Amino acid sequence: MFRGLYDWTLDRAGRPAARWWLAGISFAESSFFPIPPDVMLLPMVLADRARAWQIAAICTAASVAGAMAGYLIGALLFQWLGQPLLDFYGYQDAFAHARGVFDTWGLWAVLIGGLTPIPFKVVTIAAGVFGFDPVLFIVSALIARGFRFFVEAALLWRFGRPIRRFVERRLNVLVTAGLALLIAGFVVLRGL
């Protein structure tokens, strides 16, 4: 079912323009887009393991830049852009609880949001709305996103061939599990 899309993604992941797509998706996901950059990062590293660190660095830098954009949406454009985004994705309840999460967890809210399937855009927008320290926000976003993307790249760099064989044999199950994790992130976020 997903074989054609997988093959197409791997083919595109090895092309020079893929880095621009990765940067764009990484930036957008941290501020307004629902698809995580891992969908580009993973096949790009599998397609070109020698560039694993460069790919992870691009993903991290663009994601943190997008996080800063999300923060600015929350801090300066919440009524005009932030609230409509949260309404569009159905994050109203989660956002209502975010104040308590930021008051209680602060730095940990950003770190956990950056590492998990919880939509990072909600964390970035909420950080701006609630006036979370911008320097601490950028540092924690850099740590969380860098850790996530560099660990993924390191695992694929080290175990690329066996992982690729594993993925190709179990593609439908893995895509289904990935979608389930993404949906679980949305559910968890709504329940906060």
Side-chain angles (χ1 to χ4, degrees):
M1 177 173 158
F2 297 105
R3 176 65 54 195
L5 180 60
Y6 174 77
D7 291 338
W8 181 87
T9 305
L10 273 180
D11 177 58
R12 298 310 182 276
R15 297 180 183 189
R19 291 183 192 99
W20 290 105
W21 281 103
L22 175 65
I25 289 172
S26 298
F27 178 90
E29 184 269 341
S30 292
S31 50
F32 63 87
F33 192 62
I35 307 297
D38 313 77
V39 300
M40 284 293 296
L41 174 98
L42 300 176
M44 285 179 69
V45 174
L46 285 175
D48 190 359
R49 288 177 40 223
R51 298 193 193 283
W53 314 123
Q54 180 187 34
I55 293 166
I58 290 167
C59 195
T60 300
S63 182
V64 172
M68 292 186 311
Y71 185 97
L72 291 173
I73 289 170
L76 305 174
L77 305 170
F78 184 70
Q79 295 303 321
W80 182 73
L81 186 57
Q83 187 65 55
L85 277 171
L86 296 172
D87 292 344
F88 178 77
Y89 291 120
Y91 296 153
Q92 302 90 343
D93 293 339
F95 191 78
H97 295 287
R99 169 59 103 179
V101 171
F102 268 90
D103 286 345
T104 303
W105 297 98
L107 170 68
W108 290 104
V110 179
L111 290 172
I112 292 168
L115 289 170
T116 64
I118 293 171
F120 195 47
K121 73 198 75 18
V122 174
V123 174
T124 66
I125 293 170
V129 168
F130 303 138
F132 190 73
D133 181 293
V135 173
L136 187 57
F137 172 75
I138 292 168
V139 169
S140 58
L142 182 62
I143 290 168
R145 298 310 256 186
F147 182 80
R148 174 177 167 172
F149 300 137
F150 274 91
V151 165
E152 288 175 5
L155 289 171
L156 292 171
W157 176 80
R158 175 66 177 95
F159 303 107
R161 285 188 188 104
I163 288 175
R164 187 170 180 168
R165 284 192 301 269
F166 176 83
V167 166
E168 289 174 354
R169 278 189 228 128
R170 295 166 184 84
L171 185 62
N172 287 337
V173 171
L174 292 170
V175 169
T176 303
L179 289 173
L181 280 173
L182 184 63
I183 291 168
F186 284 106
V187 170
V188 165
L189 191 60
R190 283 182 175 240
L192 286 177

